């Protein structure tokens, strides 16, 4: 790939592919530079924004992850993975209102995904809306979620909401 780039240095795809190669080699600094170069060449390269944002998220660079993943979610034709990672970034930064909005967008795309409703419940609890959290966890269970943790979260939220008999 590096040889090809010497021949055609302004090819965004080549820089993107080099970023993947460096990611696989676990050379994150070089991977980041390669994805950044792909974006410099093509500011609409959604996959490069996604990979770069995901690398930043893994490194704990949450602010940069959010910026890149927001761009990826706008640019990718199928933004599911970008939206999920963006949710993780918002949640990591304590931005639960944004995390909630992002989850709602994910649910529009995947309305029958029980795990999304579990995370929705978590966001509602963090925002102090226990009634909506209870509704989210009930929906998750109705969709087939069988995790004991969801049942625990539901019971604990009933307790917080003052509905002790339901807890």
């Amino acid at each position: 790939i590096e040889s090809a780039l010497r021949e055609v240095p302004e090819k965004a795809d080549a820089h993107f592919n080099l970023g993947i190669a460096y990611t696989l080699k676990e050379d994150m600094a070089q991977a980041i530079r390669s994805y950044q170069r792909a974006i410099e060449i093509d500011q609409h390269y959604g996959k490069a924004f996604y990979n770069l944002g995901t690398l930043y998220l893994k490194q704990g660079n949450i602010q940069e992850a959010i910026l890149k993943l927001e761009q990826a979610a706008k640019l990718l034709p199928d933004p599911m993975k970008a939206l999920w990672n963006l949710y993780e970034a918002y949640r990591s930064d304590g931005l639960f209102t944004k995390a909630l909005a992002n989850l709602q967008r994910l649910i529009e795309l995947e309305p029958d995904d029980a795990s999304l409703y579990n995370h929705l419940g978590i966001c509602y609890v963090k925002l102090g809306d226990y009634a909506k959290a209870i509704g989210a966890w009930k929906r998750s269970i109705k969709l087939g979620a069988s995790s004991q943790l969801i049942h625990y979260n539901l019971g604990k939220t009933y307790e917080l909401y003052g509905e002790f008999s339901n807890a």
Side-chain angles (χ1 to χ4, degrees), residues 88-113:
E88 291 290 340
Y90 287 145
R91 195 183 71 174
S92 295
D93 210 29
L95 301 171
F96 290 101
T97 301
K98 286 187 173 190
L100 177 67
N102 212 60
L103 278 171
Q104 290 167 333
R105 191 165 164 210
L106 281 162
I107 289 169
E108 287 174 15
L109 297 170
E110 292 287 336
D112 296 327
D113 186 332

Side-chain angles (χ1 to χ4, degrees), residues 12-17 19-20 23 31-32 34-36 38-39 42-55 68-79 81-82 85:
D13 286 340
H15 288 281
F16 175 77
N17 290 331
I20 291 172
T23 300
I32 287 170
S34 296
Y35 294 133
Q36 286 172 333
I39 292 167
D42 179 357
Q43 285 103 28
H44 300 285
Y45 206 136
K47 292 188 294 185
F49 278 104
Y50 170 75
N51 284 14
L52 186 55
T54 300
L55 281 180
K68 300 310 181 219
L69 291 167
E70 285 175 341
Q71 281 298 111
K74 290 177 193 171
L75 295 169
L76 291 169
D78 179 8
K81 290 180 183 178
N85 285 357

